[in-house]
Amino acid sequence: MELIFATYNPHKLYEIRNALGNKYTVQGLGDLNEKEIPETGNTIEENSLIKAEYIFKKYQKACFSDDTGLEVSILNNEPGIFSARYAGSGKTEDNINLLLKNLIGQKNRKARFKTIITFFNENGKHFVFEGIVHGKIILEKKGTEGFGYDPIFKPNGYRETFAQMPLDEKNKISHRGIALRKFLNNLVSK
Ligand code: IMP
């Protein structure tokens, strides 16, 4: 089966190709010479839908997209859809520093990561798969694994941040891992 994944991210492509094995051929946006699809939605759900729908309409092939955001309760769920460019520069270091600054003196540091995968089948019917992990934003960075906000996010029930966990352990409990498993189970049960 052929599938298009609306991403340029080589890590995400590698991960999904690995998980699906050779029954599936997965193409990324780079393989199709596609330009970046503008994420003009107001929510993670909308942005995920926009990307998958754009690709389905253009290629009429089974396709999916994923979109993730970090939602911090006391900040009205910011950075949310702005997670990648929260501080404006697009640099992880700046995003983390701004978030820690915005939480100075805050006791309520509850946060969650949310991933939404939107899948269009070859008939144009779409399905949504959600993955959420609850946790909190700690006071300073810990750990060097992972990416993005991992060094300051500690999932509930764990003593380590995501950046202190090996990738396979993070994947077992992470937002993306949860959403991806739901999606893959649905795909292979067809
Ligand atoms: P994307 O939609 O997967 O590209 O994620 C958007 C942004 O959310 C990324 O640029 C990161 O800043 C943040 N993010 C997404 N997933 C993770 C994660 O697993 N750990 C830490 N930060 C993440």
Side-chain angles (χ1 to χ4, degrees):
M1 180 180 174
E2 286 185 16
L3 264 178
I4 302 172
F5 186 3
T7 187
Y8 284 99
N9 189 319
H11 299 289
K12 291 183 181 177
L13 276 167
Y14 173 80
E15 197 179 285
I16 195 89
R17 283 177 180 141
N18 223 28
L20 285 173
N22 53 16
K23 271 195 190 161
Y24 293 83
T25 313
V26 185
Q27 288 180 299
L29 295 183
D31 302 311
L32 300 167
N33 291 321
E34 273 293 337
K35 292 202 196 82
E36 195 91 46
I37 305 166
E39 297 183 14
T40 52
N42 293 313
T43 61
I44 297 168
E45 286 80 359
E46 277 175 25
N47 280 338
S48 179
L49 178 63
I50 286 168
K51 287 186 279 187
E53 195 167 38
Y54 175 90
I55 292 298
F56 181 77
K57 283 192 172 149
K58 187 156 175 188
Y59 294 91
Q60 303 285 316
K61 275 189 186 170
C63 61
F64 67 99
S65 69
D66 76 337
D67 207 63
T68 296
L70 173 66
E71 300 183 330
V72 180
S73 309
I74 199 78
L75 301 177
N76 295 320
N77 287 338
E78 276 186 13
I81 55 168
F82 304 109
S83 295
R85 48 186 194 281
Y86 188 39
S89 66
K91 285 192 194 142
T92 297
E93 196 65 21
D94 296 344
N95 290 340
I96 287 183
N97 288 338
L98 179 60
L99 185 55
L100 291 178
K101 187 169 147 247
N102 288 343
L103 288 175
I104 286 174
Q106 276 300 344
K107 285 215 173 72
N108 176 354
R109 305 181 72 93
K110 280 186 203 155
R112 63 181 198 173
F113 275 112
K114 179 155 94 176
T115 293
I116 298 288
I117 294 179
T118 305
F119 168 59
F120 275 74
N121 70 14
E122 58 281 11
N123 302 318
K125 189 162 185 242
H126 79 273
F127 305 84
V128 176
F129 305 93
E130 180 187 79
I132 289 179
V133 59
H134 295 275
K136 67 172 191 173
I137 303 299
I138 60 167
L139 296 172
E140 54 187 34
K141 293 194 286 178
K142 280 187 187 162
T144 52
E145 300 290 319
F147 71 103
Y149 299 89
D150 279 349
I152 56 168
F153 182 83
K154 195 159 75 64
N156 289 346
Y158 289 80
R159 298 170 73 127
E160 306 90 21
T161 65
F162 269 167
Q164 291 174 299
M165 295 179 181
L167 182 61
D168 57 347
E169 200 179 317
K170 176 188 165 188
N171 283 343
K172 281 185 201 152
I173 58 167
S174 80
H175 45 299
R176 200 173 4 266
I178 294 168
L180 203 58
R181 278 190 294 278
K182 287 184 188 171
F183 168 50
L184 295 180
N185 284 340
N186 180 278
L187 204 59
V188 295
S189 69
K190 288 268 148 44

